[in-house]
Amino acid sequence: DDAGKVSMTKPSTLASFIDFCTTNYPADRNQLILWDHGGGSISGFGYDEKYRSSGSMTLQGIDQALSQCDVKFDIIGFDACLMATAETALMLSDYADYLLASEETEPGTGWYYTNWLTKLSENTSMPTIEIGKNIVDDFVDVCAQQTRGQQTTLSIIDLAELSATVP
């Protein structure tokens, strides 16, 4: 299908993408990974170079998109800077079991997908927390090799625990 020329930071675009995937590729387990620039609780996620005036997708916009879809994700991850905030995590707690994100800026290399996806393909029943730990470990290891001197942070947050902890 061709969605046409639409801004990638519009909530309706994200909702449409999720609906397309869940309709055409049904699965018992789902992950949503959003890759681009992140601005955390203040400016949200994403930047569309073709639609510069559309700005970022705010946390309210992400919430709007996810509320339109009938899917609970094992992990919602942000391969983007500054997205591991309490506000982001609390907003996502209705839509995912875990948040995987960095509270700091990420080196430009981003996540390293090869190792953890290979491990997951070898054991598709791998526990979600183990998938998250593999993503974190691969990211930290590869960044240490490719971006020496730059600090890296990436965390996996249990959203059920967080929403019960933060009033």
Side-chain angles (χ1 to χ4, degrees):
D1 286 351
D2 184 344
K5 295 180 180 181
V6 294
S7 171
M8 293 293 105
T9 59
K10 287 179 63 176
S12 59
T13 304
L14 177 57
S16 176
F17 173 75
I18 293 169
D19 284 341
F20 175 83
C21 291
T22 55
T23 300
N24 293 289
Y25 305 98
D28 294 329
R29 301 171 67 190
N30 295 283
Q31 292 185 24
L32 175 64
I33 299 174
L34 301 165
W35 173 90
D36 195 11
H37 296 288
S41 304
I42 305 235
S43 62
F45 164 79
Y47 175 74
D48 191 325
E49 292 179 10
K50 289 189 174 197
Y51 297 91
R52 294 175 193 259
S53 64
S54 65
S56 297
M57 189 180 323
T58 64
L59 295 186
Q60 181 182 4
I62 296 168
D63 183 43
Q64 179 185 344
L66 296 174
S67 71
Q68 295 175 33
C69 304
D70 186 28
V71 61
K72 175 95 175 203
F73 294 96
D74 293 347
I75 294 174
I76 294 179
F78 288 91
D79 190 351
C81 300
L82 307 170
M83 296 305 295
T85 66
E87 294 86 357
T88 303
L90 290 170
M91 181 273 297
L92 292 175
S93 63
D94 289 339
Y95 309 113
D97 295 326
Y98 294 92
L99 165 64
L100 190 60
S102 176
E103 62 272 17
E104 297 286 343
T105 56
E106 287 189 358
T109 55
W111 296 2
Y112 184 71
Y113 291 82
T114 304
N115 287 347
W116 72 266
L117 283 172
T118 300
K119 290 176 188 173
L120 179 59
S121 72
E122 293 167 352
N123 178 11
T124 57
S125 61
M126 179 184 298
T128 302
I129 191 70
E130 189 175 333
I131 296 168
K133 287 178 180 181
N134 286 332
I135 294 170
V136 170
D137 290 344
D138 287 345
F139 173 72
V140 170
D141 291 345
V142 170
C143 285
Q145 296 167 15
Q146 295 182 3
T147 59
R148 293 192 194 308
Q150 290 188 26
Q151 293 184 338
T152 56
T153 63
L154 191 61
S155 58
I156 183 155
I157 300 164
D158 184 327
L159 296 173
E161 290 293 328
L162 179 71
S163 60
T165 303
V166 178

